[in-house]
Amino acid sequence: MANMKYILRNTFVIALLIFSTSMFMQKTTHIIFFGDSITQAGVQPNGYITKIGEALTKKGIAAEYNLTGAGIGGNKIYDLYLRMEDDVLSKNPDVVVIWVGVNDVWHKSSFGTGTDPDKFEKFYIAIINKLQAKKTRIILCTPSTIGEKSDYTNQQDGDLNRYSQIIRDLARNYHCDLVDFRTIFHLYEQQNNPSNKDRGILTVDGVHLNDQGNQLVADEMLKVIVEK
């Protein structure tokens, strides 16, 4: 009988040690947010990446995630491709959120240096292929807005819709998750922009996010990152 108690006690201790060790060794999910100036600003105190971190803390699961911002102002799709080895692949992330496209459209008219749709798609596919070769989960995001008018009278609405559809098709064809900010922002503007303003609802200048825009982006990304 004494031997049985000894065995049971030792078995319990071993099981407790295994459980405790597994808790400490729980893998943290590393997420890299890969994009342009909108993502670069996402790590600021009111940025969307910061807000995602705060939401994870409220859920009690912040320790399960490591969030890294990898945004650079002015970047287009080929800029992401050129720096992905250093800024993404070398860090071995579990998840990469790609949010790009605004500058590929916007810079056509502002600087004459945008990206043609066919080249945009080819560079995007090259990025997806490199990430999928490393078994990385990919979340694609459509560009949101260049001007907040809700009746599709912003100058770049046509191109933004076209490039957004390219991203939707890539998400479907390559089995990537999708956050369709183009649709999400348009629906929000229809409901919350009765004066048809070109800025000031979700952005400070028609492109870059204000506090409400950052909160909306954080909420929508969380649905895919955590709840999916």
Side-chain angles (χ1 to χ4, degrees), residues 34-205:
F34 196 30
D36 50 34
S37 58
I38 298 173
T39 295
Q40 186 176 30
V43 299
Q44 294 178 358
N46 290 319
Y48 76 87
I49 298 172
T50 302
K51 289 179 180 293
I52 289 173
E54 291 169 352
L56 293 172
T57 298
K58 289 180 181 178
K59 291 176 179 288
I61 56 175
E64 299 176 21
Y65 294 89
N66 176 22
L67 310 181
T68 300
I72 294 180
N75 267 197
K76 296 181 274 292
I77 188 66
Y78 63 81
D79 297 303
L80 267 59
Y81 176 79
L82 291 175
R83 66 183 177 89
M84 69 178 301
E85 182 63 46
D86 290 338
D87 292 355
V88 178
L89 296 177
S90 65
K91 295 176 171 52
N92 295 311
D94 303 288
V95 182
V96 175
V97 180
I98 304 173
W99 195 9
V100 71
V102 163
N103 293 321
D104 297 271
V105 172
W106 196 13
H107 287 188
K108 286 184 178 182
S109 58
S110 56
F111 301 108
T113 59
T115 310
D116 292 335
D118 59 333
K119 292 180 180 178
F120 181 82
E121 183 175 9
K122 288 177 181 177
F123 275 112
Y124 217 128
I125 290 172
I127 290 173
I128 291 172
N129 285 335
K130 283 181 175 288
L131 291 171
Q132 289 189 334
K134 298 194 71 170
K135 309 298 183 185
T136 306
R137 180 188 172 199
I138 308 169
I139 300 174
L140 306 187
C141 303
T142 58
S144 52
T145 180
I146 305 174
E148 295 194 62
K149 293 181 179 179
S150 61
D151 60 354
Y152 284 135
T153 58
N154 304 289
Q155 183 180 357
Q156 282 90 10
D157 277 343
D159 273 347
L160 278 179
N161 291 337
R162 182 177 182 181
Y163 285 58
S164 294
Q165 189 57 50
I166 289 172
I167 294 170
R168 294 184 193 109
D169 292 341
L170 291 175
R172 183 183 65 253
N173 295 337
Y174 288 86
H175 309 290
C176 302
D177 293 315
L178 175 70
V179 184
D180 192 350
F181 284 125
R182 184 68 183 145
T183 297
I184 292 166
F185 271 55
H186 182 64
L187 291 174
Y188 188 95
E189 297 289 351
Q190 287 183 318
Q191 297 169 6
N192 297 279
N193 188 7
S195 300
N196 207 33
K197 297 178 181 178
D198 70 344
R199 64 193 66 194
I201 309 301
L202 293 170
T203 75
V204 295
D205 57 2

